[in-house]
Amino acid sequence: MADVEFVKSNNFNREADILKVLGHPVRLKIVAGLMSQSCNVKKIWECLGLPQATVSQHLALLKNKGIIDGRRDGVEVYYQVISPQARAVVTAMLGGQAC
């Protein structure tokens, strides 16, 4: 592991934001699931057993924080994880297991 120095200029705001967003169980499940495949909202809410509006709110937050992004295919939007830092955190939390 690389050494991290205690440098005053290192504010770790981006890293802290990622950890805060991933601190919610639903968002953590969404990111873990999207690490193995891209999915649309319908598939995500069906898999999680949550209302569509709830899943959409969590997806919006993940997207606004730059953790996921959507790719439009006709009327469907397929989400995927784009943050390497979020991938690393989730992988580490899962003990290195693939999602």
Side-chain angles (χ1 to χ4, degrees):
M1 176 178 240
D3 292 332
V4 178
E5 296 181 28
F6 289 100
V7 178
K8 194 174 188 176
S9 64
N10 290 348
N11 58 24
F12 295 104
N13 288 336
R14 172 74 180 140
E15 293 82 357
D17 277 347
I18 289 171
L19 291 173
K20 281 188 248 181
V21 172
L22 294 178
H24 192 285
V26 171
R27 291 191 290 269
L28 189 55
K29 286 179 189 178
I30 291 171
V31 172
L34 291 177
M35 284 174 52
S36 62
Q37 62 181 322
S38 63
C39 295
N40 62 17
V41 176
K42 184 178 182 198
K43 183 170 181 179
I44 295 169
W45 62 260
E46 285 176 345
C47 289
L48 296 178
L50 295 170
Q52 183 268 332
T54 300
V55 172
S56 291
Q57 288 176 343
H58 287 293
L59 289 170
L61 182 58
L62 290 164
K63 188 173 179 184
N64 288 339
K65 293 297 181 178
I67 294 174
I68 66 169
D69 198 15
R71 171 185 50 83
R72 185 165 294 281
D73 185 10
V75 296
E76 300 286 335
V77 177
Y78 290 87
Y79 293 94
Q80 60 189 4
V81 178
I82 60 168
S83 167
Q85 296 91 349
R87 281 185 177 276
V89 167
V90 174
T91 299
M93 291 180 75
L94 296 175
Q97 300 171 352
C99 298

